[in-house]
């Protein structure tokens, strides 16, 4: 993903799917530390564009994700404010990893109330804007209050949103300033 200017975010779903990446999984906090929530893709998907990567037909993963999210975050301060968006997302019968991923980014932007126009490369008929992919930032993440004791880096931005609600954006701005 690349922010071209203040108001436009391009999602490049034409990049190749790669196993063992964050393209189809993320980490959510739980009482034991964290758990991976993975969108299962069908076999033989490695090397395809994310937009063409097929999600495995097993609908059980969506139910497991909804239950894990509710169990681990229901007591988070802002869970009730965003529950409808999260449950709608996991109730959708996704068939394409690209569509699922792009919708998840749009959902986060909506939760954060960011004034950003999201554009998807595969839908635009254009080539992806040229920029190197962002590097890992988990190590630079300053601690914030999580739903369980202690702080664990590398959680989904949903963790920050459900724990800090409207304060998530100012916190991210401060974190970005400290990291630069």
């Amino acid at each position: 993903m690349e922010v071209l200017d203040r108001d436009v975010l391009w999602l490049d779903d034409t990049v190749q799917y790669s196993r063992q990446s964050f393209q189809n999984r993320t980490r959510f906090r739980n009482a034991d530390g964290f758990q991976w929530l993975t969108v299962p893709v069908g076999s033989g998907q490695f090397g395809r564009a994310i937009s063409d990567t097929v999600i495995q037909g097993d609908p059980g993963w969506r139910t497991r994700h909804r239950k894990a999210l509710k169990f681990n975050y229901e007591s988070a301060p802002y869970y009730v404010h965003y529950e409808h968006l999260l449950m709608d997302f996991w109730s959708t019968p996704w068939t394409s990893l690209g569509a699922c991923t792009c919708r998840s980014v749009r959902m986060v932007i909506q939760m954060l109330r960011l004034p950003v126009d999201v554009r998807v490369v595969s839908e635009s008929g254009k080539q992806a804007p040229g920029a190197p992919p962002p590097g890992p930032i988990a190590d630079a993440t300053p601690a914030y209050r999580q739903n369980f004791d202690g702080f664990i880096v590398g959680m989904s931005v949903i963790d920050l949103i459900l724990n800090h609600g409207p304060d998530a954006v100012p916190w991210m701005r401060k974190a970005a300033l400290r990291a630069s």
Side-chain angles (χ1 to χ4, degrees), residues 8-158:
V8 178
L9 174 71
W10 280 95
L11 301 178
D12 188 358
D13 62 342
T14 64
V15 298
Q16 290 184 347
Y17 167 71
S18 101
R19 297 177 301 234
Q20 303 297 315
S21 71
F22 284 95
Q23 293 171 334
N24 68 316
R25 65 184 183 165
T26 192
R27 293 178 357 157
F28 278 89
R29 187 70 203 273
N30 66 19
D32 297 324
F34 69 88
Q35 72 183 93
W36 288 103
L37 294 187
T38 302
V39 176
V41 298
S43 62
Q45 303 297 307
F46 179 72
R48 286 181 143 186
I50 294 172
S51 60
D52 298 329
T53 300
V54 178
I55 293 176
Q56 190 175 1
D58 170 27
W61 68 270
R62 294 182 336 230
T63 301
R64 288 188 300 274
H65 288 194
R66 274 196 315 267
K67 286 180 179 179
L69 191 72
K70 185 174 177 110
F71 181 78
N72 291 304
Y73 286 98
E74 190 171 36
S75 62
Y78 292 93
Y79 176 83
V80 69
H81 299 285
Y82 302 107
E83 178 181 23
H84 66 285
L85 293 171
L86 295 162
M87 294 307 135
D88 285 349
F89 174 80
W90 272 296
S91 295
T92 303
W94 303 107
T95 57
S96 155
L97 182 59
C100 179
T101 301
C102 290
R103 179 60 189 110
S104 71
V105 172
R106 284 184 168 116
M107 178 183 65
V108 167
I109 288 169
Q110 181 181 0
M111 292 169 139
L112 295 172
R113 296 183 177 174
L114 297 175
V116 175
D117 179 23
V118 177
R119 298 182 188 164
V120 180
V121 171
S122 68
E123 297 170 1
S124 72
K126 298 180 180 182
Q127 285 192 312
I137 60 167
D139 292 341
T141 304
Y144 59 87
R145 182 190 72 250
Q146 292 179 324
N147 203 35
F148 299 100
D149 289 338
F151 176 75
I152 298 178
V153 299
M155 298 301 111
S156 167
V157 68
I158 299 294

